[in-house]
Amino acid sequence: MKKLFLYVVLGLFFCNVGFAKVFDFKCSSFLELKYVKETYKREENYDYKIMIHVQLDTSQKTIKSFNDWVSEESHDIYKIDKITDNQYRSGDSLLEGGEKFLFLNRYTGVLVKEYKTYSPDTVWTYFYQCEPTEQLY
């Protein structure tokens, strides 16, 4: 009976590892918003087109964002703070200066990145449509 209990416990240790995964997404932007707090001016740019690569690592609870023109050492890494039924969230949507906010909807594939700068007091919001990519390895 002790051996059976030991086998069950060891089996459960190894089963948990199988659920951690890295998901790759190809994301294309479809909207850029700029809001300047001093003048209460909001600008929308639907012509803003950019492609990024996003990696969602469920074991380390991180989201990495890669651009084509930026080296791999300087990519953005977001620590996932909250996982809900339909999205992964990093940061708080009530931004202070210099902070970032990101969320990825699991079902629609919409990725939202938001940055707030100190001077001028401006909030930049980028919307991306993401599609899963096949893993090559």
Side-chain angles (χ1 to χ4, degrees):
M1 192 67 163
K2 290 180 183 179
K3 286 184 181 180
L4 179 64
F5 178 71
L6 179 66
Y7 292 141
V8 169
V9 170
L10 288 175
L12 290 175
F13 279 128
F14 290 111
C15 289
N16 192 21
V17 177
F19 295 110
K21 229 176 163 183
V22 176
F23 298 99
D24 292 319
F25 297 97
K26 172 181 68 172
C27 304
S28 58
S29 65
F30 62 89
L31 176 61
E32 173 192 43
L33 295 177
K34 176 183 176 185
Y35 176 72
V36 181
K37 193 172 183 180
E38 294 171 355
T39 60
Y40 300 104
K41 185 178 177 185
R42 180 179 167 170
E43 298 174 10
E44 297 179 359
N45 182 4
Y46 288 95
D47 295 328
Y48 180 77
K49 302 295 180 200
I50 190 171
M51 296 282 293
I52 63 171
H53 177 83
V54 173
Q55 277 188 341
L56 170 65
D57 190 344
T58 57
S59 64
Q60 296 180 358
K61 293 190 178 180
T62 58
I63 298 176
K64 295 179 185 177
S65 173
F66 302 94
N67 295 328
D68 290 339
W69 62 89
V70 180
S71 67
E72 193 168 316
E73 292 81 27
S74 61
H75 55 267
D76 292 331
I77 300 176
Y78 300 90
K79 188 73 175 164
I80 297 173
D81 297 330
K82 186 175 182 182
I83 300 173
T84 64
D85 289 340
N86 64 345
Q87 63 184 238
Y88 295 96
R89 300 176 69 95
S90 174
D92 190 6
S93 58
L94 302 173
L95 296 175
E96 297 294 327
E99 289 185 352
K100 299 178 182 179
F101 169 71
L102 176 131
F103 79 84
L104 174 66
N105 190 309
R106 298 164 70 170
Y107 299 113
T108 62
V110 173
L111 174 75
V112 178
K113 292 171 98 175
E114 195 168 85
Y115 304 96
K116 185 172 185 180
T117 59
Y118 285 110
S119 137
D121 200 5
T122 306
V123 176
W124 298 85
T125 307
Y126 301 96
F127 294 87
Y128 298 89
Q129 183 63 50
C130 299
E131 300 172 0
T133 59
E134 294 182 22
Q135 292 186 359
L136 300 176
Y137 49 90

